[in-house]
């Protein structure tokens, strides 16, 4: 018992061992029926025949995946060559999410490091300051961003009044606006894991390196960075994954030209396209990509933990 | 410790970036808040301070729509957060106080499933599910979907709290002939209260915040605040939307602040 208490408090406790089945039943039922079963049903739908104006016909078909990956010419009778339309939308989404992740890292790492090196008492307050905006409604934040970035918006007014620019710069409806929106949506996910890993870092190691005449930057790069790498990777995954399937930022800030996966899927169900099996298939492709990423990430984190 | 000429911990340029980070995070929210008090029908020109757009939200031409949307949003958030918190508390008790068991990892995976699956995929899946069982979309479908995806958000602070509480208090109660049920309701639950409250508040905010899943599973004519705001913003940002946004923003900040101070409270002492 003492050993159990030392390694993670009361996590080994089995006080309610007999009741655990009943205690878990509601969670199993709700999540099983309303999350797991729907995902499986979506998989089934992606192999059904489309009905025009939404819905499906219960007949097996590879049509949705065929439409996604295969170009069969104007009349649909040619042999399959690679269809780039949808792959390109996925590719653009990966690129946008990647750019947003790098932007978050460039701003988020110094911020997390700065917070983690403050006196212990005021650190929670700093973390709190960073997380408050995250809890504000995502839609409202995205709309606020749209308001800020308009050609006649406050940002351009401010830049003109300081004399930095003469005429408004056009940001809204560009790739950069979407990246900025995604950055704004998920920044705390970058800051928090990096903060946690820097806080755990033993600065005596840096002291030792400095005593052995390593310069500040060599110390940071060779000693600090490898130690906080798991936190950095966790932050990147946590920003990249939700960015990849995001809908609001590309829809409100990107305009029609900057279509991403989320908009493609939404259009199949809410918009004019009305092709449910295709929407289900595109969702399956997105889900598969995310799950592969998460499995690779989990393995990498487990390995890093073992190495320490 | 030897004194060094420089501080090994501080890296140059990190303070300005931190300040930039805070400016980027807060500037849009502050600006929208300021402009919600603008006495002008244009969102570009500043014409002095007024509360006219707040009055417009409550009495203006769109007030009925907003009132119904607000009622839907808040009633769904309260019911969904209550259900999710109850389910999460029971599940956390089994996970943290139930010893080791075979299905523990699987259970944990299931609980965190809504966090791993992209929101738009959950939205599509839920829509397809309700469609395939022939359930008419509306208030109930939104509520059920919200209960499900709020569970992991309620679970996280609750399980973290329970991990931090030694089971010696319950063991002591059991030694004094309390039943397991009494140990749970009289000892563990009161100790857990800060975790349960912050779990509830986070679930509440997450439900109130949700747009994507709600947008998919809502039926025609049923709106929550985010879907109503989204529909309105599609035609351009209007001042009354900024007033609603500011009110929701203030509510979120208030609730997170309460959650922060409650979770810091340690009532095992």
């Amino acid at each position: 018992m003492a050993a159990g208490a030392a390694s993670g408090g009361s996590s080994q406790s089995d006080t309610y061992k007999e009741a655990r089945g009943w205690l878990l039943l509601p969670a199993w039922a709700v999540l099983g029926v309303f999350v797991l079963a729907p995902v499986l049903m979506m998989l089934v739908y992606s192999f059904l025949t489309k009905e025009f104006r939404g819905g499906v016909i219960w007949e097996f078909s590879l049509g949705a995946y065929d439409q996604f990956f295969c170009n069969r010419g104007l009349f649909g009778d040619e042999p399959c060559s690679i269809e780039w339309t949808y792959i390109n939308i996925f590719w653009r989404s990966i690129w946008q999410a990647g750019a947003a992740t790098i932007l978050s890292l460039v701003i988020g790492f110094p911020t997390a490091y700065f917070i983690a090196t403050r006196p212990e008492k005021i650190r929670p307050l700093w973390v709190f300051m960073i997380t408050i905006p995250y809890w504000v409604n995502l839609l409202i934040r995205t709309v606020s961003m749209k308001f800020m970035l308009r050609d006649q918006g406050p940002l351009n007014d401010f830049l003109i009044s300081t004399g930095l620019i003469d005429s408004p710069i056009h940001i809204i409806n560009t790739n950069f606006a979407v990246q900025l929106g995604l950055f704004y949506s998920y920044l705390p996910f970058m800051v928090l894991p990096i903060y946690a890993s820097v806080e755990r870092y033993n600065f005596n190691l840096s002291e030792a390196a400095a005593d052995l005449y390593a310069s500040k930057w060599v110390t940071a790069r060779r000693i600090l960075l490898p130690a906080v790498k798991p936190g950095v990777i966790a932050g990147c995954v946590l920003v990249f994954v939700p960015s990849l399937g995001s809908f609001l930022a590309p829809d409100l800030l990107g305009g029609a030209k900057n279509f991403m996966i989320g908009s493609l899927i939404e259009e199949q169900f809410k918009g004019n396209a009305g092709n449910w099996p295709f929407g289900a298939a595109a969702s399956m492709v997105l889900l598969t990509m995310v799950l592969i990423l998460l499995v690779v990430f989990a393995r990498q984190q487990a390995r890093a933990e073992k190495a320490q | 410790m030897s004194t060094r000429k420089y501080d090994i911990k501080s890296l140059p340029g990190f303070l300005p970036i931190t300040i930039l980070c805070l400016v980027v995070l807060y500037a849009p929210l502050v600006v929208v808040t300021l402009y919600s008090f603008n006495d002008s029908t244009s969102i570009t020109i500043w014409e002095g301070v007024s509360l006219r757009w707040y009055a417009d939200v409550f009495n203006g031409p769109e007030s009925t729509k907003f009132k119904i949307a607000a009622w839907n949003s808040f009633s769904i958030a309260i019911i969904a957060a209550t259900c999710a918190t109850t389910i999460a508390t029971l599940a956390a008790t089994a996970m943290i106080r139930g010893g080791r068991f075979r299905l523990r990892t699987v259970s944990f995976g299931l609980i965190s499933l809504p966090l791993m699956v992209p929101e738009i995929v959950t939205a599509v899946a839920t829509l397809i599910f309700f469609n395939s069982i022939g359930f008419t979309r509306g208030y109930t479908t939104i509520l059920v979907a919200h209960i499900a995806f709020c569970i992991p958000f309620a679970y996280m602070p609750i399980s973290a709290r329970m991990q931090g509480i030694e089971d010696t208090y319950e063991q002591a109660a059991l030694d004094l002939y309390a039943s397991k049920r009494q140990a749970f309701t009289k000892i563990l639950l009161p100790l857990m209260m800060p975790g349960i409250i912050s779990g509830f508040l986070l679930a509440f905010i997450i439900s109130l915040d949700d747009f994507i899943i709600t947008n998919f599973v809502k039926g025609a004519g049923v709106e929550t605040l985010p879907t109503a705001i989204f529909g309105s913003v599609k035609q351009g940002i209007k001042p009354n939307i900024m007033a609603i946004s500011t009110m929701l923003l203030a509510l979120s900040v208030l609730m997170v602040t309460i959650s922060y101070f409650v979770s810091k409270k340690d009532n095992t002492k």
Side-chain angles (χ1 to χ4, degrees), chain A residues 4 8 18 26-27 35 49 73 83 88 108 114 119-120 129 131 145 147 155 163 235 238-239 245 256 260 282 287 300:
Chain A
E18 302 85 2
V35 181
T49 309
E83 168 65 64
N88 280 340
F114 180 81
E120 210 173 331
M129 298 258 289
T131 41
M145 202 55 152
F147 184 75
L155 180 66
L238 290 176
V239 173
M260 280 174 61
L287 181 61
Q300 191 271 339

Side-chain angles (χ1 to χ4, degrees), chain A residues 103-244:
Chain A
L103 193 63
S104 306
L105 182 61
V106 169
I107 305 278
F109 186 89
T111 306
Y113 184 91
F114 180 81
I115 295 173
T117 51
R118 292 308 93 197
E120 210 173 331
K121 276 226 144 136
I122 60 167
R123 277 181 219 158
L125 197 65
W126 274 101
V127 172
F128 183 56
M129 298 258 289
I130 294 290
T131 41
I132 283 183
Y134 172 72
W135 293 111
V136 173
N137 197 305
L138 178 62
L139 174 64
I140 290 175
R141 274 183 294 152
T142 313
V143 170
S144 307
M145 202 55 152
K146 190 181 169 85
F147 184 75
M148 278 296 277
L149 299 179
R150 283 172 308 133
D151 289 354
Q152 274 83 41
L155 180 66
N156 272 315
D157 286 353
F158 173 74
L159 290 175
I160 291 173
S161 72
T162 57
L164 281 170
I165 53 170
D166 301 325
S167 56
I169 36 172
H170 184 67
I171 306 173
I172 203 84
N173 294 349
T174 62
N175 280 333
F176 182 64
V178 178
Q179 290 156 19
L180 217 51
L182 293 173
F183 159 82
Y184 193 35
S185 306
Y186 306 116
L187 181 73
F189 292 163
M190 181 65 84
V191 173
L192 294 179
I194 297 178
Y195 163 78
S197 62
V198 175
E199 200 186 30
R200 268 202 309 269
Y201 175 69
N202 181 357
F203 275 95
N204 289 336
L205 295 172
S206 292
E207 289 281 352
D211 284 341
L212 297 166
Y213 302 105
S215 76
K216 203 165 185 169
W217 284 110
V218 169
T219 310
R221 210 181 68 230
R222 304 277 293 268
I223 313 291
L224 172 75
L225 213 53
V228 301
K229 205 173 111 191
V232 172
I233 294 173
C236 289
V237 170
L238 290 176
V239 173
F240 184 80
V241 166
S243 296
L244 196 60

Side-chain angles (χ1 to χ4, degrees), chain B residues 189-200:
Chain B
L189 272 187
L191 287 174
M192 285 296 302
M193 257 320 146
I196 291 173
I197 291 170
S198 51
F200 176 86

